[in-house]
Amino acid sequence: MSRPATRVLALLEILQDRGLVPADELARRLDVDARAVRRYITALRDMDIPVESVRGRYGGYRLARGVRLPPLMLADDEAVAVAVALANSKDQRAGEPGPAHRALVKLNRVLPAPLRRRVTALIAATSATTGPLTPEPQLALTLAAAVHSRHTVRIEHTRGAREVDPYGLVVHARRWYLVGHDHLRDAIRMYRLDRISGAVGLPSRFTPPEGFDPVTHVLHMLTLGAWTHRIEVWLDTDLETARDHLSATFGDLHPCPDGGVLLVSGAEDLPAMARILTGLPWPFTVRNPPALVTALAEHVTALTQAVARSQPAP
């Protein structure tokens, strides 16, 4: 950096990226002395950008809270990440003038020309079959506020209206889920946000169960809670390898004291589970249920018959 103006902008970028930053760290990163840092802070304040000074051993400088800063500064890699995420959003891929489309247009206007050309080329050269199913912004904000303030919400779901104590929002496998206590069912339920058309906060408040984890609940429901059959299969591999090969929704993985990994999962269609198991790269043993062993034997018989049919005639 050779010009004071460049250093002032670099200082703003550091403060936007961090909270409280010590003066000596700012001086080191800008390659200047402490007096120059104070001059650059004054320059930012002269541009009506509020910078607070914090005295003491752990003091430094920080931007005032809750202030919208002109401009928002992004490093090249940050700008690329934001642009690609916006380009792969649902409304942008559908060619609709939704919030992601408008945000991408604004971002392109402020990107430096060389970077804008590179980002445009990246987006044009990239195709995605699916992207995150971004919820309606106002719905997501309403639910998030209720989670934070612990207020009951009334949601309009495809199966009817519900009053729910919202414990958390979970994004998994491109879908958003609301997890909470359903007053009608008197039980913890999860709801896909793309099936909720509206939500309104209610005055009543709640206290979530101690230690409840919405992520764990969603993964459990997607792997075990929604299925008829509980599956237990021993896999001849180690835990790290199994986790690398199998998705989180495939089931729970537990290391066994004598070696190997126990897969605990759920299934509605045992023949389908048998076909999946035969595609695993490790030896395995079915422990439960016995009906899965029967389905596996039938699948092996079908494979053997297919091999016999495929043999050349003598």
Side-chain angles (χ1 to χ4, degrees):
M1 301 179 193
S2 58
R3 295 179 300 171
T6 304
R7 291 195 177 97
V8 170
L9 291 175
L11 172 60
L12 176 59
E13 183 175 4
I14 294 171
L15 294 177
Q16 285 185 151
D17 191 49
R18 294 272 303 276
L20 182 66
V21 185
D24 57 349
E25 180 181 341
L26 291 172
R28 184 174 65 254
R29 294 183 62 174
L30 297 174
D31 194 22
V32 296
D33 57 24
R35 292 180 61 186
V37 170
R38 290 195 292 271
R39 289 199 304 272
Y40 301 152
I41 293 293
T42 300
L44 289 177
R45 290 169 175 165
D46 289 342
M47 292 187 289
D48 294 327
I49 297 176
V51 181
E52 297 178 342
S53 302
V54 179
R55 298 183 179 277
R57 179 180 179 184
Y58 300 104
Y61 297 99
R62 67 186 177 197
L63 297 175
R65 300 180 185 275
V67 176
R68 296 187 65 179
L69 294 177
L72 171 65
M73 299 177 62
L74 297 174
D76 285 4
D77 57 344
E78 296 169 338
V80 170
V82 172
V84 172
L86 291 172
N88 282 292
S89 64
K90 182 181 179 182
D91 66 304
Q92 176 67 12
R93 287 184 290 107
E96 301 171 356
H101 174 80
R102 297 194 300 270
L104 184 59
V105 170
K106 291 179 181 178
L107 181 61
N108 279 333
R109 287 174 181 167
V110 299
L111 286 177
L115 181 59
R116 181 170 62 248
R117 288 192 292 269
R118 294 174 63 192
V119 169
T120 300
L122 173 62
I123 293 173
T126 305
S127 301
T129 56
T130 59
L133 299 180
T134 307
E136 194 277 320
Q138 192 57 48
L139 171 64
L141 290 173
T142 299
L143 294 175
V147 171
H148 179 72
S149 64
R150 298 184 177 181
H151 276 89
T152 302
V153 291
R154 179 182 177 86
I155 63 173
E156 299 298 329
H157 192 263
T158 53
R159 295 183 179 179
R162 295 283 194 277
E163 290 190 6
V164 179
D165 296 338
Y167 297 157
L169 294 171
V170 177
V171 183
H172 177 73
R174 302 187 301 276
R175 295 194 183 278
W176 287 63
Y177 297 91
L178 168 68
V179 180
H181 181 266
D182 185 319
H183 290 202
L184 179 64
R185 304 297 182 186
D186 192 24
I188 296 177
R189 293 286 190 267
M190 69 179 193
Y191 304 93
R192 280 173 37 183
L193 262 64
D194 58 322
R195 295 177 179 174
I196 300 176
S197 59
V200 178
L202 301 177
S204 56
R205 304 194 67 176
F206 66 91
T207 300
E210 185 176 354
F212 180 80
D213 183 5
V215 173
T216 300
H217 179 81
V218 168
L219 293 178
H220 175 79
M221 292 302 297
L222 293 177
T223 56
L224 295 174
W227 307 115
T228 302
H229 304 283
R230 177 184 172 91
I231 307 298
E232 295 184 8
V233 179
W234 179 83
L235 307 175
D236 188 10
T237 185
D238 60 86
L239 184 61
E240 182 178 358
T241 302
R243 284 176 173 168
D244 288 342
H245 189 87
L246 303 174
S247 68
T249 54
F250 193 76
D252 296 335
L253 299 169
H254 307 277
C256 297
D258 298 329
V261 176
L262 180 65
L263 166 66
V264 180
S265 186
E268 199 72 32
D269 185 344
L270 291 180
M273 176 58 74
R275 293 191 293 272
I276 293 173
L277 291 175
T278 56
L280 296 179
W282 323 289
F284 63 87
T285 302
V286 175
R287 294 187 176 177
N288 276 303
L292 179 57
V293 179
T294 302
L296 189 62
E298 293 173 350
H299 182 53
V300 171
T301 299
L303 290 176
T304 302
Q305 292 172 350
V307 171
R309 291 194 300 270
S310 302
Q311 295 293 337

